[in-house]
Amino acid sequence: MSLEQLYTEAQKLSTKQIRDDIVQHLYETSYQLCQEGVSYKKAKKDTKTEKLDAIFTSPIFGFPIMIIMLGIVFYITIAGANVPSTLLADFFGWLEKYLTALFSFLHTPNWLYGMLVLGLYRGTTWVISVMLPPMAIFFPTFALLENYGYLPRVAFNMDRLFKKVGAHGKQSLTMAMGFGCNAAAVISTRIIESPRERMLAILTNNFVPCNGRWGTLIVFASLFMAAGFTGGIKSLVTTGVLVGIVLFGVIVTFFVSWVLSKTLLSGIPTHYTLELPPYRKPKIFDTVIRSSVTKSWSVLVRAVKVAAPAAVLTWVFANINIGDTSILQHAVQFLDPFGKLLGLDGYIMIAFILGLPANEIVLPILLMGYLSTGSLTEVDSMIDLKNIFIAHGWTWLTALNMMLFSLLHYPCGTTLVNIYKETKSKKWTFLAFIIPTVIAILIPFIIAQTVRFFGWM
Amino acid sequence: MTRTKIIKLVDGEKGDIIKITALLLDGVMRRRLLDLGFVNGAFVEVAQKSPLGDPIAFRVSRTTIALRKEESGKIEGELIINGE
Amino acid sequence: MGNEYYRIALVGNPNTGKSTLFNALTGLRQHTGNWAGKTVSLAQGSVDFKNKTFQLIDLPGTYSLFSNSKDEEVARNYIAFEKPDVTLVVLDATSLERNFNLALQVMEMTTNVIICINLIDIAEKQGIEIHEKRLMNLMGVPVLKISARNKLGFPMLLDTIDRIVNGDIKCQSFQLKYPEEIEKKILKIEQQIHEIIGDTVSARWVALRILDGDESLINEITKQFKLRGDY
């Protein structure tokens, strides 16, 4: 007899009552263990948690506090990352001079120097200097909120809204994780017990901009949207624009969840439970060190593993000519008409395509294309950067649509791999790719056509 | 109180303490509720409503668990202490 | 190196400070690793003690091991099929009632169990007094009070792990006796199960799960046997 047969046989012995009895018995035993092994001197209640919950989940303050918290986390990340980013970039630039000297001393051929220093070195160091500082600030801040116990309250507050679209309140947590890394967030959807809601969380996680897209979003928000401001106000306006972009992503998430739960994912039953643990003061130092060190390390590894090959590949594309133009230019020309429809251009489209392995490298590839230097470019100041874009016909519309495309487009390679691992389904992985892609094309298209129709540009 | 009053968890007010008498659900959800301590005879306190009224958080076996009204509407119990 | 190498699994309810304990014990010596042909990755870290290396595996936090969710299946499969040398059950001292529930389930699956009662500092403040000796007698396995946050009780914990893997402590994990009607049914199928699966997994536990209608476990056992090529 096989186990399956035995199982079928045994189901005749099993009743609903037995299942209940088993759990009931476990509980009774646990209770007895407590009776005998634990004494409760005074039933002192955890009034701190109760009082804090009355504020954090209050009908009046609950939502405003959440939005302010989100804004604060973003602001700390953006404002705090500025200086270390510049320092890192300066350091890598300084180091590059010595590398260049070394290569010319060794009389290495130009193509090798180009591939290794201008492609590989610049590509990876760009990723590190742009991505590392925000990561090193965002993750610890997030971890502190998590360890303190605030995040489950967010899931508690938000559940009603998620329920309306057929999703789970805990999705707000996996979304929050997505701000750091969508690939990690896809794995974190395991906290959602019910399969249907979990699938929704997986398929829509991409609409939360991950760390790799932050750089892009921050650059364009501050260059084009907050252009008229300086100093602290500028950071504030940038933050405001980013919060707007994020909220738009949330709206898309809700909309897509709602459509999916009415169509492809309808009918499968749901269940919901959420524990609200007591608030506990986190070990601030430990948390900060741990999450920044471990996350920073993973950024470095990722930069080397993913960004480096992509940077080399881009360099090769930009430097191998077919006819009298490079492969990259051919591709740009081919994609340009399509890009224009979306208020973008061929360079932007190719940057997103080559950026599939990692969103971090979209911006450097774009710059590389614009400058046709065939290598990732160092840009000394933000003003230079803006001039490059303007010289290529950028307006606020290009910047806006670029940000929206970045927000909405297909997940990066790592995320897609994780989606496949988690869902074990080619169909769902494909849907996770195609749904965002269609939306990322539609929305900029509609905006671009509307703006042109009314002649606002 | 001499007369016992049976109410559903969802109808409890903040501070109410309810002794569970019946779980009117099946399958995985029943399982999960049992795992969390919503067993027959357990005492549950209504702890906190979320800003939009649903879900509601309950204190059960010394932890706080939030349930949606779909589930808390299917758990019945005796109202032991009226919070009001 | 040449250290003897043991695998120690950490299980516990969510929010019991299990990961805090894991982090505090392993420091930054962590990585995420896949295990035997699985796509699920778990955080792993190591800690050296005497001349041994304990490889700690941080299983997902779960309320039970009844395969209600993916996390519960991951934790259950690891304990049942990967057979860690010792399983640490991390409990929250402030809500032991629910936490013991999980400990009892673990003890049905495996023998070498240590009960780690965490957050003991907070429990003491709340006037909860835990008599670990009494619990140890009742449960037949070591019961330790720790505070992962304040790194209290770690030497004792490591020493206990050491003594279990050395065989100096013999765990006799407490086996729940169910009401007679259930016990009879367990008895009816336990022997047959044992004939099919041998000693790889506790037959009594599988019998219980079968009576409970846990189909996913049966699928998993079949899969495991195929993987090992002896089915």
Side-chain angles (χ1 to χ4, degrees):
Chain A
M1 184 152 65
S2 79
L3 209 53
E4 283 97 336
Q5 286 165 321
L6 182 64
Y7 177 77
T8 325
E9 275 298 299
Q11 287 321 292
K12 288 174 197 154
L13 298 174
S14 165
T15 60
K16 195 176 123 200
Q17 192 55 45
I18 281 206
R19 297 176 197 187
D20 278 13
D21 285 349
I22 291 175
V23 184
Q24 187 92 31
H25 194 68
L26 274 167
Y27 254 95
E28 273 162 21
T29 316
S30 299
Y31 183 72
Q32 279 162 18
L33 282 171
C34 283
Q35 289 292 303
E36 292 182 44
V38 186
S39 42
Y40 302 92
K41 268 189 232 145
K42 48 197 173 210
K44 202 162 74 180
K45 265 196 176 171
D46 181 8
T47 50
K48 188 184 86 180
T49 292
E50 225 167 272
K51 280 177 194 150
L52 282 170
D53 269 342
I55 301 168
F56 286 143
T57 68
S58 114
I60 304 160
F61 304 113
F63 284 99
I65 290 177
M66 253 164 37
I67 292 168
I68 291 167
M69 287 272 203
L70 190 70
I72 290 175
V73 173
F74 288 173
Y75 184 77
I76 294 175
T77 308
I78 296 165
N82 259 333
V83 174
S85 271
T86 319
L87 286 178
L88 274 174
D90 288 350
F91 168 75
F92 287 127
W94 171 81
L95 195 66
E96 191 189 305
K97 281 187 204 126
Y98 290 89
L99 274 177
T100 308
L102 180 72
F103 273 76
S104 61
F105 173 74
L106 294 171
H107 299 291
T108 42
N110 266 338
W111 65 266
L112 187 67
Y113 169 74
M115 206 161 85
L116 289 183
V117 176
L118 303 179
L120 183 75
Y121 176 81
R122 279 192 186 170
T124 20
T125 55
W126 163 282
V127 172
I128 294 167
S129 51
V130 174
M131 300 303 155
L132 192 56
M135 274 258 215
I137 298 171
F138 178 78
F139 280 114
T141 320
F142 194 71
L144 284 175
L145 283 179
E146 187 178 17
N147 290 0
Y148 181 58
Y150 179 66
L151 293 187
R153 271 71 191 183
V154 174
F156 182 59
N157 289 346
M158 296 288 283
D159 183 65
R160 185 68 198 276
L161 299 174
F162 281 94
K163 189 171 120 186
K164 272 228 160 113
V165 298
H168 196 295
K170 279 187 197 164
Q171 191 175 330
S172 54
L173 304 189
T174 64
M175 284 167 73
M177 180 57 108
F179 286 120
C181 174
N182 296 125
V186 164
I187 296 175
S188 78
T189 58
R190 285 184 199 158
I191 57 168
I192 301 172
E193 299 92 353
S194 44
R196 195 183 79 94
E197 282 86 344
R198 177 154 183 254
M199 189 62 83
L200 284 176
I202 290 177
L203 293 180
T204 56
N205 190 267
N206 180 60
F207 299 126
V208 174
C210 66
N211 183 66
R213 292 180 274 168
W214 276 83
T216 312
L217 294 176
I218 293 172
V219 165
F220 292 116
S222 64
L223 279 187
F224 285 88
M225 309 290 163
F229 306 92
T230 49
I233 304 279
K234 193 179 169 80
S235 290
L236 217 58
V237 175
T238 311
T239 307
V241 172
L242 285 176
V243 170
I245 286 279
V246 167
L247 287 180
F248 184 69
V250 173
I251 291 168
V252 175
T253 302
F254 280 143
F255 178 73
V256 173
S257 303
W258 179 74
V259 171
L260 283 173
S261 66
K262 291 271 175 277
T263 53
L264 287 173
L265 286 166
S266 66
I268 309 165
T270 70
H271 55 94
Y272 174 89
T273 55
L274 172 73
E275 179 171 0
L276 301 175
Y279 292 97
R280 281 171 193 146
K281 200 170 144 247
K283 284 273 186 197
I284 293 173
F285 185 73
D286 282 7
T287 311
V288 168
I289 293 298
R290 171 165 307 279
S291 53
S292 53
V293 169
T294 50
K295 295 291 175 184
S296 313
W297 177 246
S298 71
V299 174
L300 288 174
V301 172
R302 200 174 135 81
V304 175
K305 269 199 209 157
V306 186
V312 173
L313 187 73
T314 312
W315 186 87
V316 170
F317 278 175
N319 286 278
I320 293 179
N321 289 353
I322 299 178
D324 52 359
T325 42
S326 65
I327 298 178
L328 193 72
Q329 285 297 335
H330 280 296
V332 165
Q333 278 155 25
F334 176 74
L335 289 168
D336 203 54
F338 178 68
K340 286 283 188 320
L341 278 179
L342 311 186
L344 305 170
D345 65 26
Y347 289 98
I348 301 175
M349 299 323 293
I350 199 77
F352 277 111
I353 292 171
L354 287 173
L356 174 69
N359 283 302
E360 285 87 342
I361 52 175
V362 169
L363 194 52
I365 293 175
L366 181 62
L367 284 173
M368 190 168 124
Y370 279 155
L371 294 168
S372 353
T373 50
S375 60
L376 295 169
T377 318
E378 270 183 280
V379 179
D380 290 331
S381 71
M382 291 293 257
I383 296 163
D384 288 351
L385 195 62
K386 189 171 179 180
N387 288 335
I388 297 169
F389 291 121
I390 289 177
H392 283 84
W394 276 54
T395 61
W396 63 267
L397 178 67
T398 327
L400 176 68
N401 280 353
M402 169 90 188
M403 287 165 79
L404 287 174
F405 194 87
S406 172
L407 173 78
L408 302 170
H409 80 295
Y410 45 79
C412 74
T414 320
T415 307
L416 286 172
V417 169
N418 281 357
I419 292 175
Y420 181 69
K421 281 185 184 169
E422 292 296 313
T423 61
K424 300 248 168 50
S425 149
K426 291 200 177 84
K427 176 191 151 197
W428 289 112
T429 311
F430 177 71
L431 281 170
F433 174 84
I434 202 72
I435 295 170
T437 307
V438 168
I439 294 172
I441 291 171
L442 274 182
I443 288 180
F445 176 78
I446 293 168
I447 292 178
Q449 299 309 318
T450 312
V451 168
R452 280 176 199 153
F453 179 79
F454 286 106
W456 290 332
M457 278 307 301
Chain B
M1 273 209 303
T2 46
R3 231 166 55 93
T4 56
K5 192 177 158 203
I6 300 284
I7 65 164
K8 293 185 164 67
L9 284 195
V10 69
D11 299 324
E13 288 301 321
K14 192 171 171 173
D16 284 0
I17 292 180
I18 299 159
K19 183 181 175 192
I20 295 183
T21 52
L23 262 69
L24 311 171
L25 359 76
D26 284 311
V28 179
M29 192 62 210
R30 180 186 186 90
R31 209 346 112 44
R32 174 146 301 273
L33 288 172
L34 293 172
D35 284 344
L36 291 170
F38 291 91
V39 288
N40 262 340
F43 290 91
V44 175
E45 182 188 340
V46 182
Q48 177 82 32
K49 292 194 178 185
S50 74
L52 301 171
D54 181 41
I56 301 171
F58 300 97
R59 289 285 295 167
V60 61
S61 64
R62 295 179 170 261
T63 50
T64 308
I65 306 288
L67 299 178
R68 285 180 177 171
K69 66 169 187 280
E70 280 74 4
E71 281 84 31
S72 55
K74 289 183 182 135
I75 306 174
E76 286 183 349
E78 277 171 45
L79 185 62
I80 301 292
I81 294 174
N82 200 320
E84 294 306 301
Chain C
M1 294 289 276
N3 274 1
E4 285 173 82
Y5 175 93
Y6 296 94
R7 280 177 307 127
I8 318 294
L10 272 76
V11 283
N13 281 181
N15 311 306
T16 51
K18 182 171 64 67
S19 293
T20 314
L21 174 66
F22 174 75
N23 287 336
L25 282 174
T26 58
L28 293 172
R29 292 175 62 185
Q30 297 178 6
H31 66 280
T32 46
N34 293 320
W35 90 83
K38 295 290 189 317
T39 48
V40 181
S41 49
L42 296 168
Q44 303 187 354
S46 58
V47 53
D48 287 337
F49 186 72
K50 296 192 176 161
N51 43 11
K52 298 186 177 68
T53 299
F54 299 141
Q55 176 84 18
L56 269 60
I57 298 105
D58 192 17
L59 297 177
T62 60
Y63 296 111
S64 83
L65 297 169
F66 289 150
S67 64
N68 290 322
S69 73
K70 176 136 193 195
D71 272 352
E72 290 180 15
E73 282 178 25
V74 167
R76 179 201 69 193
N77 290 348
Y78 195 90
I79 299 171
F81 304 113
E82 301 300 317
K83 302 200 164 299
D85 296 293
V86 179
T87 304
L88 291 186
V89 186
V90 185
L91 308 184
D92 176 348
T94 63
S95 57
L96 277 177
E97 223 169 285
R98 196 187 69 198
N99 281 252
F100 276 139
N101 194 23
L102 180 74
L104 290 170
Q105 292 179 37
V106 172
M107 291 195 298
E108 283 182 335
M109 298 168 64
T110 176
T111 331
N112 285 350
V113 174
I114 299 176
I115 307 285
C116 262
I117 302 183
N118 190 23
L119 302 167
I120 195 69
D121 47 330
I122 295 173
E124 271 161 13
K125 268 186 219 149
Q126 293 180 9
I128 300 171
E129 200 185 326
I130 293 154
H131 315 284
E132 71 270 36
K133 294 258 158 53
R134 230 180 276 169
L135 287 170
M136 210 176 315
N137 288 334
L138 288 168
M139 300 172 92
V141 298
V143 178
L144 304 170
K145 293 201 276 197
I146 63 162
S147 164
R149 243 180 80 95
N150 302 315
K151 302 189 163 72
L152 293 177
F154 286 7
M156 181 71 158
L157 172 61
L158 289 170
D159 192 57
T160 310
I161 298 176
D162 184 57
R163 289 190 343 199
I164 288 184
V165 297
N166 280 343
D168 297 342
I169 299 180
K170 288 262 180 283
C171 293
Q172 290 180 317
S173 59
F174 169 80
Q175 293 299 309
L176 240 79
K177 279 274 168 283
Y178 287 93
E180 201 171 328
E181 191 204 353
I182 300 178
E183 286 293 337
K184 269 188 200 156
K185 290 180 176 174
I186 294 174
L187 225 62
K188 249 186 206 167
I189 52 174
E190 194 179 341
Q191 189 52 37
Q192 282 167 293
I193 292 170
H194 190 259
E195 276 162 25
I196 301 173
I197 63 171
D199 288 324
T200 42
V201 189
S202 154
R204 178 185 161 86
W205 173 68
V206 175
L208 250 171
R209 306 307 328 133
I210 285 183
L211 286 178
D212 194 31
D214 191 343
E215 208 175 341
S216 91
L217 176 67
I218 304 306
N219 298 336
E220 189 61 35
I221 294 180
T222 318
K223 207 169 97 195
Q224 290 286 335
F225 273 48
K226 278 185 189 139
L227 268 180
R228 286 161 205 203
D230 52 9
Y231 185 64

